[in-house]
Amino acid sequence: MSNNSFTNFNLATELPAWSKLQKIYESQGKTLSVKQEFQKDAKRFEKLNKTFTNYDGSKILFDYSKNLVNDEVISALIELAKEANVTGLRDAMFKGEHINSTEDRAVYHVALRNRANKPMYVDGVNVAPEVDSVLKHMKEFSEQVRSGEWKGYTGKNITDVVNIGIGGSDLGPVMVTEALKHYAGVLDVHFVSNIDGTHIAETLKVVDPETTLFLIASKTFTTAETITNANTAKNWFLSKTGNDPSHVAKHFAALSTNESEVAKFGIDTKNMFGFESWVGGRYSVWSAIGLSVALYIGYDNFEAFLKGAEAVDNHFTQTPLEDNIPLLGGLLSVWYNNFFGAQTHLVAPFDQYLHRFPAYLQQLSMESNGKSVTRGNAFTNYSTGSILFGEPATNAQHSFFQLVHQGTKLIPSDFILAAQSHNPIESKLHQKMLASNFFAQAEALMVGKDEEQVKAEGATGGLVPHKVFSGNRPTTSILAQKITPATLGALIAYYEHATFTEGAIWNINSFDQWGVELGKSLAKVIGKELDNSSNISTHDDSTNGLINQFKEWM
């Protein structure tokens, strides 16, 4: 299988629609005024907003009308998607083909939320029964722990769960448990990912060994940082419980496929939850890695989370390109990145429960599309992955929104709001204030404020230019009815498929992550050098000097 077997081009700049978009940008795109476009087209909002209906009937509205596009731009972007064969690559992914070409693997996280249980094949094997079997195991285990049927070694109920992982094995569960905190029940959850000893030490201070369950999340059970933290947790547990190794089996479970290492650690392999090589880390929250989520919010809510994502999968595969919501989101990102030179993408949730959502999307976006080599092994001659950032509004409005409004950089932004709050306190006063900012920020970024308006407000002299806002800064407004498990699943799947669309247009492999390997391999070498006190001279002068100073001060 050649690295370029899923596409009929090498560089995106070879595609006729790319050249067409460049001409559109030069002739009208860079001077296009969204305000004027609204004046010219009374149905602009009607045409450029799309409503997604979830499996449970709930809705999410995606408003693209405040973006720097018109009918001609949208049409050319759709042409680009067709020429890049985005749908062909999409269909190959959903068929379980090895679209991760550099690792010769399928990319099949979509099979993890196949709650319709339709046959889905990888290498001729229907994986649906295996996925369903793991979910049934998760359901049984989570219900035993939550109900108190599962008890610790002294017969006490479990009260706390500590998930030990790193990367996707941490970011996904952390974000989802925070986002769905309203649905939490009888257990508290804690997450440890940093190899900095402070992270595990501070967590262990607040849990009781008799009532704590540790989840060790490592597919291979050899990930250095995770296993180091896991061993520290086990040593702490044994030191507090009489150093009886038999107690470990009642307080540790493994999210892994390495049965021998799991057993060697002391975990009963009946409490091992596996997932396949076709599950990438940043897509693993749908898998056994989501066990902490199921324990926290209950299995039924976890399944609703899966079904919400499945509904977006169905939309992505079945909806024509012109109305395909994730595809349009990805195409807009390409439009700004490659033609306007935008280097960043802001995601600002107007929802405190979603405060970790931007951090989760950072890995999804930047680990996926932070690449500079195409599937055909050529270096790109165009920009690829955007720098994604964000924080919850309205607090963010009082920090970096200054740059978004009046800075010299174009920052395409997504604003996310739920119409219904889980906490409608003070007669919904808080929610109304939150919503007023959601609507106002997007409007202000579009309309701006010109010199004439500033002067009419009483500003004079040198103060006038400081109060001018250029406007015409693009936003996508995403308005959900409520952040339920199904809604959150849908939002994540939306960004997954938008990210997929970007990578397909750029003809890069969005599913490997070789960029994280070099530092890890060098760290292993340096780790051994730190085990003795002698000075080293095997690296560059800066690294040698830093290591030697560290040894002296340690």
Side-chain angles (χ1 to χ4, degrees), residues 235-424:
N235 293 338
W236 171 85
F237 174 79
L238 290 172
S239 73
K240 300 285 187 180
T241 58
N243 288 308
D244 185 344
S246 67
H247 296 333
V248 170
K250 296 299 293 180
H251 291 268
F252 285 77
L255 316 180
S256 178
T257 55
N258 191 335
E259 188 170 335
S260 62
E261 286 298 320
V262 167
K264 191 187 303 181
F265 186 89
I267 294 174
D268 186 339
T269 54
K270 287 186 288 188
N271 302 323
M272 188 176 89
F273 300 79
F275 50 103
E276 294 299 323
S277 62
W278 37 259
V279 181
R282 56 194 174 277
Y283 304 96
S284 63
V285 71
W286 316 105
S287 73
I289 292 297
L291 182 58
S292 58
V293 178
L295 285 162
Y296 189 55
I297 65 173
Y299 181 81
D300 289 346
N301 283 321
F302 182 72
E303 186 164 53
F305 171 67
L306 299 179
K307 286 181 177 179
E310 180 187 29
V312 172
D313 293 342
N314 293 336
H315 171 92
F316 186 52
T317 55
Q318 298 168 14
T319 306
L321 301 189
E322 292 77 9
D323 295 310
N324 198 301
I325 296 170
L327 181 122
L328 289 170
L331 290 176
L332 285 171
S333 179
V334 171
W335 175 234
Y336 293 127
N337 190 320
N338 296 111
F339 299 94
F340 285 82
Q343 296 180 325
T344 58
H345 181 177
L346 166 63
V347 177
F350 285 68
D351 190 303
Q352 186 58 31
Y353 282 131
L354 292 176
H355 71 106
R356 294 296 292 164
F357 195 51
Y360 175 80
L361 295 182
Q362 283 178 334
Q363 184 191 26
L364 171 63
S365 175
M366 295 195 283
E367 191 168 82
S368 294
N369 289 338
K371 316 286 171 62
S372 56
V373 178
T374 69
R375 290 179 174 275
N377 305 323
F379 283 94
T380 65
N381 57 1
Y382 42 84
S383 173
T384 57
S386 299
I387 301 166
L388 191 146
F389 73 105
E391 284 289 332
T394 57
N395 199 38
Q397 293 169 199
H398 296 266
S399 57
F400 56 76
F401 268 46
Q402 170 63 44
L403 178 67
V404 182
H405 278 282
Q406 288 187 306
T408 57
K409 296 172 174 61
L410 180 74
I411 303 176
S413 304
D414 294 355
F415 293 164
I416 304 171
L417 175 72
Q420 299 170 32
S421 172
H422 287 295
N423 301 289

Side-chain angles (χ1 to χ4, degrees), residues 33-87:
S33 164
V34 177
K35 281 197 296 185
Q36 290 177 9
E37 293 299 317
F38 271 106
Q39 292 165 3
K40 287 191 285 186
D41 186 354
K43 294 189 175 181
R44 180 176 172 87
F45 173 73
E46 182 182 326
K47 291 193 300 188
L48 287 177
N49 88 83
K50 310 291 179 185
T51 299
F52 167 75
T53 302
N54 214 327
Y55 83 94
D56 60 357
S58 63
K59 298 180 187 300
I60 309 173
L61 185 151
F62 295 79
D63 175 19
Y64 297 119
S65 64
K66 291 188 179 76
N67 281 282
L68 303 176
V69 295
N70 56 22
D71 291 345
E72 189 175 358
V73 172
I74 294 290
S75 176
L77 286 169
I78 297 294
E79 279 183 52
L80 182 65
K82 291 176 179 176
E83 291 174 5
N85 195 25
V86 174
T87 57

Side-chain angles (χ1 to χ4, degrees), residues 446-521:
M446 181 185 77
V447 302
K449 184 184 288 187
D450 61 26
E451 187 174 317
E452 195 174 298
Q453 290 173 289
V454 171
K455 288 179 178 177
E457 291 175 355
T460 59
L463 186 59
V464 171
H466 295 277
K467 290 196 169 187
V468 168
F469 292 76
S470 64
N472 214 38
R473 305 202 174 204
T475 58
T476 295
S477 296
I478 301 174
L479 179 62
Q481 286 182 287
K482 197 170 192 174
I483 302 299
T484 64
T487 300
L488 182 65
L491 285 172
I492 297 171
Y494 163 77
Y495 279 103
E496 284 181 355
H497 295 320
T499 301
F500 170 92
T501 299
E502 294 170 357
I505 297 291
W506 293 323
N507 197 25
I508 55 177
N509 179 6
S510 299
F511 305 104
D512 58 14
Q513 52 278 328
W514 299 108
V516 306
E517 298 300 323
L518 179 58
K520 287 166 67 174
S521 61

